Amino acid sequence: MKKIFTRLLSFFNSIRSQIAFYPTLFALSGFLFSALTLYLESLGISDFIRENVPSIIVNNGDTALSVLGAIITGLISMMVFSFSMVMVLLNQASTNYSPRLLPGLISDRKHQTVLGIYLATILYCIFTMVAINPDAPRKELPGFSVFLGIVFTVFCMAAFIYFIHNISKSIQVNNILDNIYNLSKNRLHRLLESEAKEFKQFPDSTNWHTYCAKKSGYFQNISITNLLKLCEELDTKLHILPVKGIFILKDYPILRSERKLDEEQLDEVLANFNFAREELVADNYVLAFKQLTEIIAKAMSPGINDPGTAINAIDYLTELLGLRMQKKDTSVISREKKCYLKLNTVDFKSLLYNVLATIRTYCSHDLIIIQKISLMFEYLLEQEQKEDYYKKLIREEARLFFDSGIQAVESDTDILLIKSLAEKMNINLDEA
């Protein structure tokens, strides 16, 4: 039963980011609500309202059909327009910023909710129309259901206005950057809170039993709670080998176990691994660094040439790196003062190098970006570090970045400025 629940949870996590997920739920609710209102009609709710508030009830079958037909036609047009706007947003984000942004934009619940409201109202009106007989006597007409269709249409118009407002904000790069930053910051804060517990040394797992993945995909997430319970039940410790967010191939080593596991036990453990074909910042904070770095590189490309966007992205990147410095490079999870799980994470050295290597490649020629990155280094050197070697890594990357800048610029004045920035940080540059 536990295995089935875990797989259902994994399936839910994989489909909730799809653009059709929430619209499908709303469509189902529209169908069910139409069935409910038709049941209420059989109990005489329209007659009751007709006697007490006759002005809101439609008493003619042809009129009711005309009203519902006009509603359906108008809502379909609104839905097509709204969906087209979403496609424009996705195309612009992919072209101007980074294709990695698409999964996060597609999973935006606000856009999905608006499309879902349209779809639910359309289906409600369709099934209500089916129940209308234009030749039936007045008392048999579902006047209350038609009135609800009109009310839902008003809600759809309000949702359409909200959608236009939200889509105009979502397409702005500042809001895209802010959304990436907030998701990553929240994820990092949760990890820091989990690390606040007592840390114990995890034993060396080199000689443990190694097991491989049975399918390929992006290693998106794992169920920590279930794995801790399994470790207690099986009396073993587990070392999760891949870093979250990487693409795992079938038969790739995925975990080590202190105790040998049989096939059934291994299936129970692997059932807690969530694989997907896409990545989300809410599940993996490292993706935010990749997205921000790609936005910086894309903004500095000759085709776009937007240093303002690059500078804004560097500001968010600086704060996230400062927050990452408060996290350890290893992650050990314990229960009741006993270590059970060790998770491999992207260490600070690799994270910093991958970020700055891309920026060095595409931005070393721009003095404005060099000055901005210099401020980032100064800020990071003043932050609290969880490991003693973090600031040493920052100084090494700063030296590489300034060396690259000296090689990229041609003006003697620019070279002197870069050297002065390095001297301000007490960094000795190689002769360029």
Side-chain angles (χ1 to χ4, degrees), residues 398-412:
R399 181 184 60 79
L400 289 173
F401 187 83
F402 290 136
D403 276 339
S404 178
I406 289 176
Q407 296 173 13
V409 300
E410 299 178 354
S411 170
D412 292 337

Side-chain angles (χ1 to χ4, degrees), residues 343-402:
L343 307 178
N344 284 350
T345 58
V346 176
D347 57 84
F348 187 73
K349 179 179 180 179
S350 299
L351 181 65
L352 190 65
Y353 177 81
N354 291 332
V355 167
L356 291 173
T358 302
I359 297 177
R360 283 202 311 268
T361 302
Y362 294 97
C363 307
S364 293
H365 62 282
D366 193 293
L367 200 62
I368 295 176
I369 301 299
I370 293 175
Q371 291 175 308
K372 191 66 178 179
I373 294 294
S374 174
L375 292 176
M376 182 185 79
F377 288 137
E378 293 178 15
Y379 172 82
L380 294 178
L381 290 174
E382 295 175 356
Q383 300 306 301
E384 177 185 354
Q385 58 178 353
K386 198 67 175 181
E387 304 285 1
D388 296 335
Y389 52 85
Y390 281 178
K391 292 185 179 179
K392 180 182 177 181
L393 295 174
I394 293 172
R395 290 187 175 276
E396 291 176 357
E397 288 297 330
R399 181 184 60 79
L400 289 173
F401 187 83
F402 290 136

Side-chain angles (χ1 to χ4, degrees), residues 134 228 248 300 302 304 353 376:
L228 288 174
I248 298 177
M300 295 304 297
I304 296 182
Y353 177 81
M376 182 185 79

Side-chain angles (χ1 to χ4, degrees), residues 181-199:
Y181 165 76
N182 286 326
L183 289 173
S184 181
K185 182 184 70 173
N186 293 337
R187 180 63 181 173
L188 276 169
H189 277 307
R190 288 196 297 270
L191 293 175
L192 291 174
E193 290 174 1
S194 65
E195 282 188 358
K197 300 178 181 179
E198 184 179 0
F199 177 80

Side-chain angles (χ1 to χ4, degrees), residues 286-346:
V286 177
L287 182 60
F289 290 90
K290 296 179 183 178
Q291 291 180 350
L292 291 174
T293 304
E294 289 178 359
I295 289 175
I296 293 170
K298 198 71 174 283
M300 295 304 297
S301 64
I304 296 182
N305 193 23
D306 184 11
T309 295
I311 290 173
N312 291 341
I314 291 172
D315 289 332
Y316 287 106
L317 191 62
T318 301
E319 192 163 353
L320 287 179
L321 284 171
L323 189 59
R324 173 59 181 83
M325 290 178 66
Q326 302 174 27
K327 184 184 180 302
K328 303 182 183 116
D329 269 349
T330 56
S331 181
V332 176
I333 301 173
S334 60
R335 173 178 284 186
E336 297 179 356
K337 299 183 179 180
K338 185 176 180 181
C339 296
Y340 285 107
L341 286 175
K342 180 179 180 181
L343 307 178
N344 284 350
T345 58
V346 176

